[in-house]
Amino acid sequence: MEIWKRNLFICCLASFIVSVGMSQMAPILPIYIEELGVTDPRDVARWAGIVFGCNFISLAIFSPIWGRLADRYGRKPMILRASGWLGLIMIGMSFATSVWHLVVLRLMQGCLSGFQAAVVPLIAQETPKEHSGWAMGMFFTAQVTGGLLGPLFGGFLSEIIGIRHTFLLIGCCCLLGFLALTRIHETMRPATQKAALGLKATFASLPRRSAILGLFLTTLIMHFSLTCIQPILTVYVKELSLTDDHIALISGVIFSSAGFASMLFASRIGHLADTIGSHKVLFASLTLAGFVSLPQGLVTAPWQLALLRFIHGIAVAGLMPSINNLIRQLTPASCLGRIYGFNQSCQFIGMFTGAFLGGHLAAFFGIRHMFFIVAFLLLFDALWYRKASQA
């Protein structure tokens, strides 16, 4: 097997393992907070938001720093650092005795992790350009598949072995990913002198600055549009349903429909991007995501929402792989990790602001109007990116 294919396979396997482990946390976190002594439901919800969201803040700050170090010292050491630290943090969370311990550990996780910011540049630099779209699609598929299966395993395991042991198992999963990543062979060494450039000099060295800034904005808007809808989706499903029976099950199916579509189509769309160009796929995916968001605010039954979310998932499958592939094509190798780090910062800023503002905006404008807001943002970004990419 060629080295780049072997590296891709290992990265996909490790990403799947880490995604399964990390996504297990979402359904069990509020219950764990209750076990740590927080009894009021409102306080549980508040602490769950703090614990879950504080990680995004520290990740947004530190991702460019770790990206720059990856440019200077190599991608593999940064990947091993991130995956190993992730496992240790999760194991540490199993021994927490206060909700403050969880907050501190999640902040530390964001400060010293940055797994994706290290893995994506390695895949980008090691994969031949003619196969990079397909490779990014495969990596995205592994992430999404792990993210879909994780909550199922988390809920099941917490009932079988208890929440503390589940966090211990999550940590062990991440360490298994660490062991798999030790088998990566990095063939391209960093250019230390160029990697030492300051922030201003780094952006000055970019040949297509406006296009890269357009990609940053697209990443932020895409993740904002996803996470601002997630907290209110169950409430919307309840509003659409004729009875309150099986609301949790129906909501779970609708949640999963978008991820399932992304899992099915990511590698296929990545291969299409290699054929016709990632910029065309990105514009088409943004346009599709925008137009399919509009009718989601007009549906009258849960099955209609599930179908539209499935189509939305197809659009999302074309977004992240295309963004990563375009960054690879537009960025000099000497600062690739740093630019990917900034892109990941935009991702986490979008996720944090979306999760924080989603409920407030829905309360002010109404749930149905949230889908119209998302549609406007995505269609505006499609036009803005098209203009920026042609500059």
Side-chain angles (χ1 to χ4, degrees), residues 220-232 285-297 309 312 316 319 354 358 361 365-382:
L220 192 153
I221 288 178
M222 183 191 78
H223 284 91
F224 176 88
S225 69
L226 291 173
T227 54
C228 73
I229 293 297
Q230 287 176 352
I232 62 173
S285 297
L286 279 170
T287 305
L288 175 61
F291 279 119
V292 82
S293 294
L294 288 170
Q296 291 180 51
R309 295 300 292 176
H312 197 277
V316 171
L319 288 174
L361 291 173
F365 292 106
I367 295 178
R368 291 182 180 272
H369 288 85
M370 284 299 299
F371 293 98
F372 303 149
I373 293 171
V374 165
F376 170 78
L377 288 173
L378 290 168
L379 292 173
F380 166 79
D381 185 54

Side-chain angles (χ1 to χ4, degrees), residues 29-30 33 43-53 99:
L29 184 59
I33 290 172
D43 290 337
V44 170
R46 188 177 298 113
W47 277 111
I50 293 172
V51 173
F52 196 75
V99 69

